[in-house]
């Protein structure tokens, strides 16, 4: 099996040479061998069922009509490159893992067997043990599998497969049968094989040449994927997908060479084989080729007849020089975006990037990218799963993409690389994590990322300003103007999480916040813009949080603020109020939650203070009595309000307690997280001293003596409290008592004597029978109609 021989040596002649009478025979024997081998592998293997979701996934892939099947190659090359990275990393502390001779060559080879239409991809990476093959390629449930299936059901793009960590299976876009031959240093060589029929087979490999170490994937191309069975197509694709892979990728190509007629082609081939066995490097072989040329020159005097012959050779398709080592001015936008796709497994362009070199005590080079879209599980799994976007290299050697020491969680959506010459190369990952230099790198990376974001944000503000003023000169492009809005939509919540988690950069992050306010219309605005519009004497930045802009704008909490012309920030994201719990001030201005007790509109003068005191005194009896009759342990007190205009009363919470909005969020979380509890906060009822209902209640109380307070006054006080709770966004504890009180009021309004209802049981039973009879009749009618329809047909 010459194609398999090719896995062991860089130069092969797989018998496709033309001009031989035996070529057709060789091809058919070869094809037969393939078929027999396939049968043996499948029959002798231990059978395993794929995990249920993997079966569904493969089923979708194998039957997919998705036209861009090319992606399978990108995914397999990327897996090969990851496997090579892993063995290279291990070799830093133990060189012996690399083995000797060809096995130590960290490369990827791709070749075709045109006769059997099998495509081969092999790497000399870490390989997989039997157990790895079982787990990695089929039985371990990955969260990405179900998430990807969900996306596909929603009409998602197959191109996303790599981002969900299930890229390997994309091979079934082009294959109906796949064998994975793998050799790990710790185990024997095994073959995994499957026709994507719900099961796979594993057997110890007695079929193929020893791989030494690494993985060989044999892709039996489907009838409709034969286009991948041509050298030209493979060359184009490998070049496209391997440009930024840091290991050499060779494609086996067929070349025409001149062969002297006298010399038997067999001898020529044998000579070639001898050379390979000597284990010469490619470069040496090239030199060898030069020698040949010289020889030919010498023999020129007596020209000999030659004929053309096809010969197979390994062609290097990438230059694998790290792009980050190049000068930024030498790298094109297209190259940056291509590298982004290679490094991120994304298929859309990055939103923005930065290529820089940090100098000083700690030296490193880096390219950082902000993607256009947030990873599918970035927010859902925020605390559980780390993102693997940023790759750490030490002196060009990939170390890890799982270093929380490199970038904080809230910025872990950032992709790219950091390559440092300062970090030690030959230490374990654990020791590397302790390195002080890593802290410095992290600090600089964070600064750089925040800088990139700030620039987009500033451009947006500049564009807005210019549009308002009607200026056009030196205006950034439309794309640049719209970049921050896109960023905010995808990563705004990450910025908010940053405000909670990153105390050092809190102020920088607050500058990046975007929100709607009572004065922003449909647009989003910034804290700086808010401050620019603040009224004279306005001390605080007012905000209110709720579920929607409409709800917050119509809330009684903000009525007086709006009436007096103060701008109020409307927060409508569940995170917003948490964020504001951490962001107490901005630019020396305090934030003030309009639903909290201590809301101060302006500093009051002596006259106003006196007036307040008088009002308090006037309503003292009412407020004391009200607190008593409401009889709610959570009600701390009843107070005269200075924030209400047309609403009779509202319920506010203490400065450090949870607002109604926060209570709502926490209640929802307590439901979704079993075991978590939720304790409501203390509340204060604020009453509007100018409201007729409040004034009437006060008068009623004043007219009554202590024991003769009407029952209806008590009910009114309770009902007003419960209504205020609802309007303020709380959930009343006893909905039944509330509705009973409400019906009582309606009874009086409608002049009804009693709310008792007489139910006649027989009547009810009769009605059930009639309903049943009606249903039967309708069913009979339906059947009749169906029968008629059939007749017509
Ligand atoms: N060539 C290979 N050498 C060694 N292990 C491999 C190779 N190809 C796949 N694997 C193993 O199989 C696993 C599953 O591969 P798969 O492509 O489905 O997911 P992934 O590599 O984790 O994610 P992605 O597809 O996004 O790269 C890999 O994580 C790796 O452990």
């Amino acid at each position: 099996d010459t194609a398999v021989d090719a896995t062991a040596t860089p130069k092969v002649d797989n018998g496709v040479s033309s001009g031989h009478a035996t070529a057709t025979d060789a091809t058919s024997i070869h094809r037969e061998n393939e078929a027999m081998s396939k049968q043996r592998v499948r029959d002798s293997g231990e059978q395993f069922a794929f995990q249920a979701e993997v079966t569904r996934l493969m089923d979708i892939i194998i039957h997919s009509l998705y036209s861009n099947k090319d992606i399978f190659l990108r995914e397999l090359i990327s897996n090969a490159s990851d496997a090579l990275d892993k063995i290279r990393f291990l070799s830093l502390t133990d060189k012996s893992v690399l083995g000797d001779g060809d096995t130590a060559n960290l490369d990827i080879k791709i070749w075709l067997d045109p006769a059997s239409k099998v495509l081969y991809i092999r790497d000399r990476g870490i390989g997989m043990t039997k157990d790895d093959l079982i787990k990695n390629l089929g039985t371990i449930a990955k969260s990405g599998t179900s998430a990807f299936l969900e996306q596909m059901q929603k009409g998602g793009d197959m191109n996303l497969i790599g981002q969900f960590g299930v890229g390997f299976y994309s091979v079934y876009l082009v294959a109906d049968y796949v064998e994975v031959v793998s050799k790990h240093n710790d185990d024997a060589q095994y073959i995994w094989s499957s026709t994507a029929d719900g099961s796979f087979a594993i057997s110890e490999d007695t079929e193929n040449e020893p791989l030494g170490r690494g993985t060989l994937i044999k892709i039996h191309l489907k009838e409709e994927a034969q286009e991948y069975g041509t050298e030209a197509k493979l060359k184009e694709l490998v070049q496209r997908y391997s440009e930024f892979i840091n290991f050499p990728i060779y494609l086996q190509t067929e070349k025409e060479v001149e062969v002297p007629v006298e010399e038997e082609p067999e001898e020529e081939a044998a000579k070639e084989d001898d050379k390979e066995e000597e284990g010469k490097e490619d470069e040496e072989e090239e030199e060898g080729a030069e020698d040949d040329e010289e020889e030919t020159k010498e023999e020129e005097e007596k020209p000999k007849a030659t004929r053309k012959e096809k010969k197979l050779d390994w062609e290097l398709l990438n230059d694998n020089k790290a792009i980050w080592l190049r000068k930024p001015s030498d790298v094109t936008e297209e190259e940056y975006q291509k590298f982004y796709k290679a490094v991120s497994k994304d298929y859309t362009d990055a939103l923005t990037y930065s290529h820089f070199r940090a100098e000083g005590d700690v030296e490193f080079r880096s390219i950082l990218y902000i993607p256009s879209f947030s990873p599918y599980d970035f927010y859902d799994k925020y605390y559980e799963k780390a993102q693997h976007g940023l790759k750490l290299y030490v002196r060009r050697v990939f170390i890890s993409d799982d270093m929380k020491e490199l970038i904080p969680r809230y910025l872990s959506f950032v992709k790219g690389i950091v390559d440092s010459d300062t970090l030690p190369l030959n230490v374990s990952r654990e020791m590397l994590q302790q390195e002080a230099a890593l802290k410095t790198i992290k600090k600089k990376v964070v600064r750089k990322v925040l800088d990139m974001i700030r620039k987009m944000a500033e451009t947006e503000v500049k564009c807005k300003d210019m549009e308002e003023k009607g200026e056009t000169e030196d205006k950034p492009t439309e794309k640049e103007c719209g970049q921050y809005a896109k960023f905010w939509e995808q990563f705004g919540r990450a910025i908010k999480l940053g405000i909670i988690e990153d105390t050092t950069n809190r102020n920088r992050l607050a500058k990046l916040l975007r929100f709607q306010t009572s004065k922003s219309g449909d647009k989003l605005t910034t804290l700086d813009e808010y401050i620019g519009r603040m009224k004279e004497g306005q001390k605080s930045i007012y905000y209110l949080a709720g579920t929607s802009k409409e709800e917050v704008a119509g809330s009684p909490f903000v009525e007086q603020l709006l009436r007096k012309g103060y701008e109020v920030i409307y927060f409508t994201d569940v995170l917003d109020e948490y964020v504001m719990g951490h962001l107490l001030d901005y630019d020396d201005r305090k934030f003030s939650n309009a639903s909290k007790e201590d809301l101060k509109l302006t500093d009051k003068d002596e006259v106003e203070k006196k007036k307040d005191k008088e009002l308090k005194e006037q309503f003292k009896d009412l407020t004391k009595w009200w607190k008593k009759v409401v009889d709610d342990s959570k009600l701390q007190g009843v107070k005269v309000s200075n924030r209400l205009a047309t609403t009779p009363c509202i319920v506010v919470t203490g400065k450090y307690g949870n607002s109604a909005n926060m209570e709502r969020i926490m209640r929802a979380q307590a439901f979704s997280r079993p075991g978590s509890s939720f304790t409501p906060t203390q509340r204060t009822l604020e009453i509007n001293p100018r409201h007729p209902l409040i004034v009437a209640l006060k008068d009623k109380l004043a007219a009554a003596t202590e024991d003769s307070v009407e029952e209806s006054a008590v009910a009114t006080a309770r009902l007003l409290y419960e209504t205020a709770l609802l309007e303020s966004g709380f959930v009343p504890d006893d909905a039944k008592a509330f509705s009973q009180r409400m019906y009582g009021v309606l009874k009086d309004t409608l002049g009804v004597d009693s709310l008792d209802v007489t139910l006649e049981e027989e009547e009810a039973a009769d009605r059930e029978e009639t309903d049943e009879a009606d249903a039967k009749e309708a069913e009979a009618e339906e059947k009749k109609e169906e029968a008629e329809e059939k007749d017509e047909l």
Side-chain angles (χ1 to χ4, degrees), residues 75 79-80 83 123 127-128 136-137 142 162 165-168 215 345:
E75 298 302 328
N79 281 349
D123 61 70
M128 283 177 271
N136 296 341
L137 305 183
K142 279 189 178 178
V166 285
F168 167 76
T215 302
K345 297 190 171 156

